[in-house]
Amino acid sequence: MLRRYPDAGEPLSCKPITKGLLNHGYRVSTTRGSYFLKHHLDDSTGDRATIVRQHRATQRLQSLGVPVAPPVQDTEGDTVTEIGGRCYALHPWVDGLHRAGAQLSTDQSERLGALLGAVHTGLEQVMGAGTGAAAGLAQRTGGSVGSGGSVRAVGSGGSVGSIKSVGSVGSVGHRSPDPADTFALIDDLLAVARRRHSRDAFDELAEHRLLERRTLLERHADRRPPTPGPPATGWVHGDFHPLNVLYRGGDPVAILDWDRLGVQPRAEEAVRAAAIFFVLPAGKLELEKVRAYARAYRRAAGASAAELAAAVHRVWWERLNDFWILRWRYCLDDRRADPQFPAVSALAVWWTREYEAVCEAFTG
């Protein structure tokens, strides 16, 4: 691999990085420094053309002053290496730490909002308008884990059944989830959770939250948001959260993992990111920080309060209908996201109860 990058030096060590759910990463140390080697594994974003588009976007964003870590070019000027049918990319290693919202001050939260606004306006410059063929491409590459189609549920004793997934982020045409589909998904997940031979505290919580969510959806089914029009969409990072932003001291120094780069409703990414950065373990949002973040985002992105209000409503509805963590656990037998479930599932309930306060924080 490194023979393709003669300026990288001779390899000294290669250590896997544990964080990250979709791809594999390694810290490669050489005689000339350190690098991040990314092994692209996600089938929806791991093809060469998609990766090259991501790389070109980060190269252009860097020229605009956005903190990114574009890949290293090989001797042919390429940034993607294919080995055994899989794609790899070599990036400069960036020293820094990940910071959740609880570790950010109000001023730093404001700077985070301004940063995301700069990403969106920068992408608009370097990628062009998010319409037509670009939007179609984004729908294929910007979806959330498990959206669309069906997945296989791993039940007790290794039995496998089919569970229909409910689309959320990146659904075709940006349609909001249909509660009828969610009710069916809840029934399927409940059946799998209840027939497990060795139930634990997680399974008990999952059953409680599924029943609770069904009641909330029955109560609020008439609040399903309409499909947004084209003016609300644009190019977005697609996965803006604490593990994809590196800080050095109090300043962000690199936005990582552009795998989900695509065309989506822009303000929804701002709301979705805030719901990840600023959620507390009890499932509440730090609204003071959200307010500072959202004001800065609106200024930087030129987004109106009405656009943010519509995004708040759509992301709230998305959260009310989304069970990706339970699909990973019960359908894929993958428990890496389990620790996120208590806060994420509680947030949907709290957000429903405090809907007006949340909306005011994003628009006030």
Side-chain angles (χ1 to χ4, degrees):
M1 173 76 187
L2 285 182
R3 285 197 297 269
R4 301 169 187 261
Y5 304 90
D7 294 336
E10 295 298 318
L12 298 175
S13 65
C14 181
K15 298 180 180 179
I17 298 172
T18 56
K19 293 181 178 179
L21 296 176
L22 295 179
N23 300 295
H24 290 169
Y26 306 86
R27 181 170 185 171
V28 177
S29 297
T30 77
T31 53
R32 295 186 180 178
S34 294
Y35 298 87
F36 174 69
L37 176 62
K38 184 169 183 175
H39 181 187
H40 291 265
L41 292 172
D42 185 28
D43 289 337
S44 65
T45 61
D47 64 281
R48 185 184 186 91
T50 299
I51 298 169
V52 168
R53 189 181 77 248
Q54 297 161 9
H55 291 173
R56 289 176 178 169
T58 57
Q59 290 167 339
R60 293 166 182 167
L61 285 173
Q62 187 179 55
S63 71
L64 297 179
V66 177
V68 291
V72 178
Q73 294 183 340
D74 65 15
T75 53
E76 302 297 325
D78 294 326
T79 57
V80 179
T81 298
E82 290 189 54
I83 301 175
R86 289 293 187 179
C87 293
Y88 298 80
L90 191 69
H91 297 258
W93 182 265
V94 180
D95 285 318
L97 298 172
H98 301 291
R99 288 177 175 267
Q103 299 169 296
L104 300 179
S105 67
T106 302
D107 287 343
Q108 289 171 330
S109 302
E110 182 177 358
R111 292 202 294 273
L112 180 67
L115 175 62
L116 183 57
V119 168
H120 288 173
T121 57
L123 285 172
E124 186 175 11
Q125 293 181 55
V126 304
M127 303 297 290
T131 57
L137 179 61
Q139 288 164 6
R140 295 194 298 274
T141 62
S144 63
V145 176
S147 62
S150 61
V151 291
R152 305 291 286 175
V154 180
S156 59
S159 62
V160 179
S162 179
I163 289 183
K164 187 178 184 299
S165 297
V166 177
S168 55
V169 185
S171 298
V172 176
H174 312 301
R175 292 190 300 270
S176 59
D178 187 335
D181 293 335
T182 306
F183 290 139
L185 176 61
I186 288 173
D187 289 341
D188 290 341
L189 289 171
L190 279 171
V192 175
R194 285 169 171 169
R195 68 171 177 255
R196 294 175 68 86
H197 291 315
S198 301
R199 284 167 59 85
D200 57 20
F202 185 101
D203 298 312
E204 297 292 339
L205 177 61
E207 181 175 351
H208 168 72
R209 291 303 190 192
L210 285 165
L211 293 172
E212 179 181 53
R213 197 76 63 82
R214 184 162 62 190
T215 299
L216 286 174
L217 276 171
E218 289 170 348
R219 187 178 304 156
H220 298 285
D222 61 338
R223 298 177 65 187
R224 181 185 180 187
T227 299
T233 63
W235 285 95
V236 300
H237 176 276
D239 202 18
F240 195 81
H241 60 70
L243 292 182
N244 283 340
V245 181
L246 275 179
Y247 279 82
R248 192 176 302 139
D251 298 316
V253 291
I255 303 170
L256 312 173
D257 287 347
W258 293 78
D259 303 65
R260 298 295 182 185
L261 174 70
V263 177
Q264 299 288 337
R266 295 193 313 169
E268 288 183 31
E269 171 156 85
V271 175
R272 200 174 290 117
I276 301 173
F277 269 96
F278 302 114
V279 66
L280 297 171
K284 301 178 180 180
L285 293 178
E286 293 186 275
L287 293 183
E288 180 182 354
K289 293 180 180 179
V290 169
R291 186 174 291 106
Y293 159 95
R295 284 177 177 171
Y297 171 79
R298 296 202 318 267
R299 286 194 301 267
S304 67
E307 186 178 346
L308 266 292
V312 167
H313 187 64
R314 285 181 57 81
V315 177
W316 162 74
W317 181 259
E318 172 186 291
R319 288 302 187 103
L320 209 56
N321 285 268
D322 189 35
F323 299 98
W324 73 271
I325 297 174
L326 296 187
R327 289 204 301 268
W328 274 38
R329 178 183 174 93
Y330 295 127
C331 305
L332 305 176
D333 200 24
D334 187 334
R335 303 190 178 195
R336 288 177 295 166
D338 282 7
Q340 301 180 42
F341 183 70
V344 168
S345 60
L347 176 59
V349 180
W350 178 86
W351 193 336
T352 302
R353 186 173 65 248
E354 302 294 336
Y355 181 90
E356 297 300 331
V358 174
C359 193
E360 192 280 330
F362 279 98
T363 61

